[in-house]
């Protein structure tokens, strides 16, 4: 296991909700990352954003770690949930709120959002 | 070099033969697409698994030259 893989693994396991994204939650640098930030902010879910543009090693490492070729990637309690499209679909279907509730993560927006 | 909609559709259908594929060019620039893929083979699979199957069909182009493909997958209703 390379250093970056261990670092990612540790981040994924020590943060309840973590988003590997392009840019930061305050300044997303890609539309897909921006959408994930909007959804999580709307739900009021606490999360950590990691900017993959900060290093090529990280940017490539996360694609390998998740066996997932695109960014953003969302992990909840160590489990890969999906990218922007999946998160958006779950949100629009009302499943995302239930998912966070199941995982014991507080959501401040109403269930009927 | 960007891929055109027809190439994307063909790759997905080669990988998932029964797939019904609808491609939309979101920005008209040949670089930002949305793909709607419906296939019986998605039934019973998680969304992550369904997307993985499409990514596999795209043979490594996803995330590379196809950095902006919004994907929606489902089994036939």
């Amino acid at each position: 296991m390379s250093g970056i893989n261990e670092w990612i693994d540790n981040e994924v396991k020590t943060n309840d909700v973590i988003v590997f994204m392009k840019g930061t939650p305050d300044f997303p640098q890609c539309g897909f990352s921006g959408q994930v930030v909007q959804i999580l902010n709307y739900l009021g879910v606490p999360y950590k954003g990691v900017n993959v543009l900060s290093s090529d090693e990280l940017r490539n490492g996360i694609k390998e770690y998740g066996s997932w070729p695109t960014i953003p990637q969302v992990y909840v309690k160590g489990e890969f949930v999906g990218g922007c499209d999946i998160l958006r679909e779950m949100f629009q279907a009302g499943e995302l709120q239930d998912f966070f509730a199941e995982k014991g993560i507080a959501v401040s927006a109403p269930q009927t959002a | 070099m960007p891929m055109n909609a027809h190439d994307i559709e063909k790759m997905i259908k080669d990988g998932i033969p029964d797939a019904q594929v609808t491609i939309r060019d979101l920005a008209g620039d040949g670089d930002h697409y949305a793909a709607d893929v419906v296939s019986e083979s998605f039934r019973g699979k998680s969304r992550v698994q369904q997307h993985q199957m499409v990514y596999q069909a795209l043979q490594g182009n996803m995330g590379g030259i196809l950095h902006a493909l919004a994907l929606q997958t489902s089994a036939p209703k």
Side-chain angles (χ1 to χ4, degrees), chain B residues 8-69:
Chain B
I8 299 170
E9 182 177 339
K10 184 171 185 309
M11 286 194 88
I12 295 174
K13 282 187 169 163
D14 284 350
I16 309 172
D18 78 319
Q20 289 170 268
V21 183
T22 312
I23 310 271
R24 280 180 299 135
D25 188 338
L26 293 177
D29 61 357
D31 201 24
H32 296 78
Y33 294 104
D36 193 357
V37 185
V38 180
S39 164
E40 186 58 43
S41 62
F42 291 151
R43 199 174 297 283
K45 297 206 162 59
S46 72
R47 288 199 176 94
V48 167
Q49 288 170 329
Q50 295 176 10
H51 283 222
Q52 294 273 31
M53 287 167 71
V54 177
Y55 290 161
Q56 246 162 37
L58 291 169
Q59 298 173 18
N61 288 302
M62 192 67 198
I65 52 175
L66 274 179
H67 66 278
L69 176 69

Side-chain angles (χ1 to χ4, degrees), chain A residues 7 10 33 38 54 57 66-67 70 76 90 99 101-102 105 109 112:
Chain A
W7 186 85
N10 184 55
S33 292
Q38 273 187 359
S54 62
E57 199 187 10
S67 303
T70 58
V76 175
M90 289 176 76
F99 175 77
E102 267 170 37
I105 289 162
T112 51

Side-chain angles (χ1 to χ4, degrees), chain A residues 42 91 94 97-98 109-113:
Chain A
Y42 180 85
F91 173 67
Q97 296 86 324
D98 296 342
Q111 289 286 315
T112 51

Side-chain angles (χ1 to χ4, degrees), chain A residues 59-80:
Chain A
R59 186 175 181 170
N60 295 321
I62 189 63
K63 292 179 184 181
E64 252 174 57
Y65 178 83
S67 303
W68 193 258
T70 58
I71 290 155
Q73 295 183 19
V74 180
Y75 294 81
V76 175
K77 299 244 163 145
E79 179 192 330
F80 177 57

